[in-house]
């Protein structure tokens, strides 16, 4: 974390804040233009959070400055999230869906474009986004059943290893943070690790008939179907399996959610070319 001060100026809002700023991302950390997580405070000691409501998200103090380095239009991530928002709203009812409907944007990201300056130097267009945080999912740190996991390994058939297979639901999560799955929100417990691995073991061991009959006892089925169909519709290669979010509210049923979508619609991960339109 780097301590800075920030001035926010728009047509309707102007305020100043003490902030903590840190780089955000994994492969994107190699880009010249970084993503940042911004935490706002009202005091220089950074002990009192400064909360602001942007776009009806509710008053919050933590946000993400997304560089969208591979997407000069700055629209891929947010337009993908609009699709995700509609998918959640239109899917059949479930307890998992009802939880997502309590979130600012149905468990999806939202944001808007800004111009960013550091010490008067123009750093380009960014988007000011909902972060991959508890308030995105309407989750509470005090609830032991609330957790969001993020897959950290690409689905790369040319480089099969145990770590890659693990986030393809072919090997148990060992509970470490950032190896195959990272904890985006929640507190590690053996109960939650065993709950997630119960789902992994079901995928690995169930017959086709058992899978079809019993999947609802482990996963929110329609969140998986939506994630799969969306990913193939828009070539969300960066979400298979890396960046897939798995969330639970009750510590039993896990569902899939979308977040990092800045390279959908065929953009290459480096932003230098487009994928073939028939890519699988």
């Amino acid at each position: 974390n780097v301590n800075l001060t920030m001035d926010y100026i728009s047509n309707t809002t102007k305020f100043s804040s003490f902030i903590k700023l840190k780089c955000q991302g994994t492969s994107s950390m190699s880009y010249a233009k970084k993503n940042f997580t911004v935490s706002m405070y009202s005091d220089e000691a950074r002990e009192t959070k400064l909360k602001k409501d942007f776009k009806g998200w509710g008053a919050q103090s933590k946000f993400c400055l997304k560089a969208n380095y591979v997407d000069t239009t700055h629209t891929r991530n947010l337009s993908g999230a609009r699709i995700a928002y509609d998918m959640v709203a239109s899917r059949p009812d479930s307890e998992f869906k009802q939880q997502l409907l309590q979130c600012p944007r149905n468990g999806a990201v939202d944001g808007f474009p800004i111009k960013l300056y550091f010490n008067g130097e123009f750093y380009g267009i960014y988007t000011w986004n909902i972060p991959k945080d508890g308030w995105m999912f309407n989750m509470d740190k005090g609830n032991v059943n609330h957790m969001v996991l993020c897959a950290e390994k690409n689905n790369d058939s040319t480089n099969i290893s145990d770590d890659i297979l693990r986030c393809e639901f072919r090997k148990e999560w060992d509970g470490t943070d950032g190896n195959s799955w990272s904890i985006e929100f929640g507190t590690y417990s053996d109960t939650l690790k065993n709950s997630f691995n119960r789902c992994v073991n079901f995928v690995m061991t169930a017959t086709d008939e058992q899978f079809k009959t019993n999947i609802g006892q482990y996963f929110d089925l329609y969140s998986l179907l939506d994630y799969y169909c969306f990913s193939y519709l828009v070539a969300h290669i960066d979400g298979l399996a890396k960046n897939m979010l798995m969330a639970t509210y009750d510590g039993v049923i896990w569902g899939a959610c979308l977040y990092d979508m800045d390279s959908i619609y065929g953009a290459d991960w480096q932003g230098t070319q487009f994928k073939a339109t028939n890519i699988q």
Side-chain angles (χ1 to χ4, degrees):
N1 281 308
V2 177
N3 290 339
L4 300 170
T5 57
M6 180 184 76
D7 296 319
Y8 180 95
I9 304 170
S10 75
N11 289 336
T12 58
T13 305
K14 181 178 180 180
F15 68 89
S16 297
S17 172
F18 298 98
I19 67 170
K20 288 183 178 180
L21 191 79
K22 66 177 181 179
C23 290
Q24 180 266 335
T26 50
S27 58
S28 60
M29 292 283 278
S30 65
Y31 299 152
K33 188 177 178 183
K34 310 298 184 188
N35 301 318
F36 300 104
T37 297
V38 179
S39 298
M40 305 191 306
Y41 300 87
S42 60
D43 62 317
E44 190 171 2
R46 290 162 179 80
E47 295 175 347
T48 304
K49 294 179 180 180
L50 177 66
K51 296 188 176 184
K52 296 289 182 178
D53 184 355
F54 299 95
K55 307 299 182 181
W57 302 338
Q60 301 293 339
S61 63
K62 183 179 179 181
F63 300 92
C64 179
L65 274 170
K66 192 74 171 177
N68 304 303
Y69 185 70
V70 302
D71 177 20
T72 55
T73 73
H74 297 275
T75 60
R76 283 177 165 83
N77 192 25
L78 298 182
S79 63
R82 299 290 178 90
I83 298 173
Y85 177 91
D86 289 340
M87 288 192 305
V88 171
S90 64
R91 69 175 59 142
D93 196 25
S94 69
E95 292 186 12
F96 187 75
K97 174 185 175 178
Q98 287 301 317
Q99 292 286 352
L100 293 181
L101 292 180
Q102 306 304 311
C103 304
R105 290 294 183 266
N106 293 353
V109 69
D110 192 14
F112 53 91
I114 66 165
K115 295 178 181 178
L116 184 67
Y117 295 83
F118 275 109
N119 296 329
E121 181 183 353
F122 181 50
Y123 266 60
I125 302 295
Y126 274 70
T127 54
W128 182 268
N129 290 2
I130 293 175
K132 201 172 355 178
D133 196 55
W135 70 267
M136 174 183 173
F137 293 97
N138 194 36
M139 288 189 175
D140 183 356
K141 285 186 177 180
N143 191 318
V144 297
N145 292 322
H146 284 182
M147 178 167 278
V148 180
L149 295 176
C150 180
E152 294 292 353
K153 296 292 181 179
N154 282 314
N155 183 349
D156 182 355
S157 60
T158 64
N159 185 27
I160 295 298
S161 72
D162 285 345
D163 286 339
I164 293 171
L165 295 176
R166 190 175 292 145
C167 65
E168 291 181 327
F169 295 88
R170 297 180 182 177
K171 184 177 179 181
E172 289 187 357
W173 175 44
D174 59 13
T176 57
D177 189 18
N179 186 9
S180 57
W181 297 87
S182 63
I183 299 174
E184 293 293 344
F185 185 83
T187 302
Y188 170 85
S189 69
D190 287 342
T191 300
L192 285 173
K193 183 185 79 168
N194 293 337
S195 169
F196 189 69
N197 284 336
R198 168 180 171 268
C199 298
V200 173
N201 275 295
F202 171 72
V203 175
M204 289 193 298
T205 62
T207 65
D208 287 351
E209 194 58 40
Q210 289 171 334
F211 192 86
K212 288 185 287 185
T213 302
N214 299 320
I215 190 172
Q217 299 176 26
Y218 300 83
F219 296 98
D220 181 74
L221 173 60
Y222 284 95
S223 72
L224 303 186
L225 293 174
D226 281 346
Y227 195 100
Y228 182 89
C229 291
F230 173 90
S231 296
Y232 276 87
L233 172 69
V234 302
H236 184 34
I237 298 167
D238 202 32
L240 297 171
K242 188 177 186 294
N243 294 319
M244 179 173 63
L245 300 182
M246 294 299 298
T248 183
Y249 289 91
D250 60 6
V252 178
I253 303 299
W254 294 77
C257 295
L258 291 150
Y259 188 80
D260 287 293
M261 294 172 280
D262 55 344
S263 59
I264 60 176
Y265 312 137
D268 179 70
W269 74 278
Q270 292 179 306
T272 56
Q273 60 184 342
F274 287 101
K275 302 293 185 183
T277 55
N278 63 346
I279 190 170
Q280 296 183 0

